[in-house]
């Protein structure tokens, strides 16, 4: 009986394996040796698809960017509503893959999905009447806010131990030990609060812009 053929090595298989490794152990865990072992191939065979480890990590990052919904920027939707929906989609895409955020934070570079994302945001803002320079700043501002929110949990930064926050030392942290068990609620609420405040501020700038036009 013939032996089952091994699945052909492909860029997609490498990216999937690297992404799983990043999720489980972080960026430093990715190496050609580890990836080759996970894929059941020799290390040099990876170089038929990627020249460097950084190229692999770029591809993993771009696979996460590709999950962000951009449909809200189509059909002339109000710019504020579009940014709000996009911000949540972007954060949701990052929520399951926080270890890849440092790579995404370096910018899109030549990554296709990342460039489509930047193009969609910039295009929607300029079509809404924002000057190109301000549209660029809005795109940057949104990325800072969304990526920053995905790096770590504020609520889970506190321990579930009342004795860790002695009122004599931290008079305003008497309930801080309760934050850890409400991590998701706190973090999602903080994101929505910040996003609303950010968009409110932009809306004021937009109205002032229209008045001077």
């Amino acid at each position: 009986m013939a032996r089952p053929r091994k699945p052909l090595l492909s860029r997609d298989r490498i990216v999937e394996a690297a992404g799983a490794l990043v999720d489980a152990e972080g960026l430093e865990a990715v190496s050609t040796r580890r990836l080759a072992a996970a894929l059941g191939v020799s290390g040099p065979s990876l170089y038929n698809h990627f020249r460097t480890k950084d190229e692999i990590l770029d591809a993993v990052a771009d696979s996460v960017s590709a999950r962000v919904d951009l449909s809200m920027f189509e059909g002339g939707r109000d710019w504020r509503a579009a940014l709000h929906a996009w911000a949540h989609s972007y954060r949701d895409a990052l929520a399951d893959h926080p270890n890849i955020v440092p790579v995404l934070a370096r910018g899109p570079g030549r990554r296709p999905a990342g460039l489509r994302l930047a193009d969609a945001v910039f295009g929607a803002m300029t079509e809404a009447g924002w000057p190109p320079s301000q549209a660029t700043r809005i795109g940057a501002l949104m990325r800072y806010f969304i990526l920053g929110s995905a790096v770590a949990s504020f609520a889970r930064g506190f321990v579930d131990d009342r004795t860790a926050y002695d009122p004599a030392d931290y008079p305003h942290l008497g309930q801080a030990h309760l934050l850890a068990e409400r991590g998701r609620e706190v973090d999602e609420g903080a994101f929505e609060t910040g996003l609303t405040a950010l968009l409110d501020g932009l809306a004021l700038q937009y109205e002032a812009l229209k008045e001077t036009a």
Side-chain angles (χ1 to χ4, degrees):
M1 175 179 270
R3 292 181 180 179
R5 293 181 61 187
K6 290 183 179 179
L8 293 175
L9 188 62
S10 66
R11 287 179 63 92
D12 287 346
R13 285 192 66 215
I14 296 170
V15 170
E16 182 179 359
L21 198 53
V22 171
D23 288 343
E25 301 183 40
L27 295 172
E28 296 305 316
V30 178
S31 67
T32 55
R33 180 184 61 80
R34 291 286 303 275
L35 284 176
L39 292 163
V41 299
S42 63
S45 64
L46 299 177
Y47 295 111
N48 293 325
H49 301 275
F50 294 97
R51 292 178 296 178
T52 65
K53 169 185 166 179
D54 284 342
E55 281 193 2
I56 296 173
L57 292 176
D58 266 351
V60 173
D62 213 37
S63 70
V64 174
S65 293
R67 300 173 190 176
V68 181
D69 183 13
L70 300 177
S71 64
M72 66 285 296
F73 295 118
E74 301 169 358
R77 188 172 179 179
D78 172 71
W79 67 267
R80 175 178 174 147
L83 280 183
H84 185 274
W86 169 71
H88 276 282
S89 179
Y90 200 173
R91 184 172 183 268
D92 288 346
L94 299 178
D96 294 331
H97 310 283
N99 291 340
I100 200 63
V101 170
V103 179
L104 286 163
R106 296 201 293 257
R110 298 175 182 271
R111 301 194 294 265
L115 290 171
R116 283 193 294 272
L117 188 154
D119 182 73
V121 175
F122 180 81
M125 295 305 100
T126 54
E127 288 173 9
W130 288 98
S133 60
Q134 189 69 353
T136 299
R137 295 182 190 124
I138 290 171
L141 171 63
M142 295 298 291
R143 284 187 68 256
Y144 298 155
F145 176 68
I146 297 165
L147 292 174
S149 76
V151 169
S153 165
F154 171 81
R156 292 189 180 90
F158 295 87
V159 297
D160 183 14
D161 179 2
R162 183 189 294 271
T163 64
Y165 309 108
D166 190 329
D169 297 319
Y170 315 107
H172 304 295
L173 296 181
Q175 301 297 307
H177 66 286
L178 301 176
L179 289 175
E181 67 180 30
R182 299 173 55 197
R184 182 170 182 175
E185 176 188 349
V186 172
D187 291 337
E188 289 184 356
F191 180 76
E192 182 59 33
T193 298
L195 180 60
T196 299
L198 189 157
L199 294 176
D200 283 348
L202 288 177
L204 291 175
Q205 292 184 37
Y206 187 72
E207 290 305 315
L209 179 68
K210 290 299 183 182
E211 290 175 2
T212 59

